[in-house]
Amino acid sequence: MKKFSFALNIIATAALAAVLGYFSVTKFTAYDVKTSILNYVILLAVSLPVATVLHELGHLLFGAFVGIKAVPKLSFVNSSSCDIIPKTEKNLRGKIIFTTLGGIFVNALCIVLGGLAFVFNAIPAEISAIIPASFYLLLLNALPFWYSGGKSDGLVIRELAKNTDGAKVLLGVLTIQAQILKGKPIEEVDEKLLFDLPQIQEDDQSFIALTELRYEYFKAKGDEKQAEFYKNRFEELKNTYL
């Protein structure tokens, strides 16, 4: 299903780019045909990284609105992502859902604004090249799949909405991080937050983060045996999956 949806997304994006390119070149352009085609192709190539940056900025802005610091980790070779830094442990579930929606919303907004500008010829029609890239990223992130680079925004939102095991571990990790950021020493964190959690896939980034927190917890408490165990486990997971 994931491969089929990904292929369909590529085909739909290519078709959309072709249609917009045709109308840009034949109807609204201020240049000769060859120059217009060249401009449009260049803009298509540039639009994907631009749409990617805008997507991550959406997470940043939506997160800032609800007290979540989303730090973009941009990559134009692999999947981009955001590090989530919670400033509070209150209402984390709703705040993370809202923050996650930010990227999808910005891509949708680019499609709408680009479409309006194209229809009403408010700007050079070649700028419509941002629409296919935004459409591609919107579908890629909205569909609830687990890609090689991690979970899509849609999957994160679905898990949080259903409060799955993965969501419970994610919220547990973020709760601990929020407490530490507010000044609580990690050795004073309630052990239930670290250990009274469901078992999830070891390649889940929440599980890897939890393993690191367990290492830091036992290290701070002076339990060298347990600290060494979780340190080695964390290094193994990091080297394998990150």
Side-chain angles (χ1 to χ4, degrees):
M1 182 64 181
K2 181 172 66 176
K3 290 182 179 179
F4 174 77
S5 298
F6 181 74
L8 194 61
N9 188 7
I10 293 290
I11 293 170
T13 300
L16 180 60
V19 170
L20 289 172
Y22 171 79
F23 284 106
S24 295
V25 170
T26 59
K27 291 193 175 183
F28 300 110
T29 184
Y31 309 101
D32 62 85
V33 173
K34 288 185 179 180
T35 302
S36 297
I37 292 174
L38 179 61
N39 289 346
Y40 188 72
V41 170
I42 292 172
L43 286 169
L44 277 179
V46 172
S47 64
L48 185 57
V50 170
T52 298
V53 170
L54 291 173
H55 178 92
E56 301 305 334
L57 284 177
H59 292 311
L60 188 154
L61 293 173
F62 273 52
F65 187 77
V66 293
I68 298 294
K69 186 177 180 181
V71 182
K73 295 171 62 178
L74 296 172
S75 173
F76 302 118
V77 178
N78 299 311
S79 300
S80 296
S81 61
C82 277
D83 284 337
I84 300 297
I85 304 173
K87 298 179 181 179
T88 175
E89 60 188 282
K90 295 181 179 179
N91 304 316
L92 266 178
R93 190 169 147 196
K95 289 178 178 180
I96 298 302
I97 289 175
F98 186 78
T99 301
T100 305
L101 280 169
I104 297 173
F105 175 84
V106 168
N107 287 143
L109 184 63
C110 286
I111 294 171
V112 172
L113 294 179
L116 289 173
F118 181 82
V119 170
F120 294 105
N121 202 23
I123 57 176
E126 289 88 346
I127 302 300
S128 64
I130 191 68
I131 297 176
S134 299
F135 175 81
Y136 169 76
L137 288 176
L138 188 150
L139 285 186
L140 191 72
N141 286 280
L143 294 173
F145 292 131
W146 196 326
Y147 300 110
S148 58
K151 298 177 183 178
S152 69
D153 294 342
L155 182 56
V156 172
I157 292 168
R158 188 177 76 171
E159 288 188 348
L160 287 167
K162 292 185 175 181
N163 199 27
T164 63
D165 288 349
K168 291 174 182 177
V169 174
L170 171 62
L171 294 174
V173 167
L174 293 176
T175 298
I176 295 170
Q177 291 175 343
Q179 291 180 0
I180 293 171
L181 287 170
K182 289 172 70 176
K184 175 179 280 191
I186 191 169
E187 63 269 24
E188 295 181 11
V189 168
D190 188 346
E191 279 199 14
K192 290 182 179 179
L193 289 174
L194 284 162
F195 297 99
D196 191 13
L197 292 169
Q199 182 64 40
I200 60 173
Q201 292 181 218
E202 67 175 21
D203 59 341
D204 191 313
Q205 291 189 354
S206 296
F207 180 77
I208 298 173
L210 178 63
T211 303
E212 184 179 19
L213 286 172
R214 287 171 173 172
Y215 158 61
E216 296 290 347
Y217 173 77
F218 284 116
K219 179 183 176 183
K221 289 184 75 74
D223 189 332
E224 294 182 5
K225 183 177 180 180
Q226 288 284 53
E228 185 67 19
F229 171 79
Y230 282 107
K231 177 184 178 182
N232 292 336
R233 187 76 175 106
F234 170 65
E235 291 294 334
E236 176 188 357
L237 294 169
K238 184 174 68 172
N239 293 333
T240 304
Y241 300 115
L242 297 182

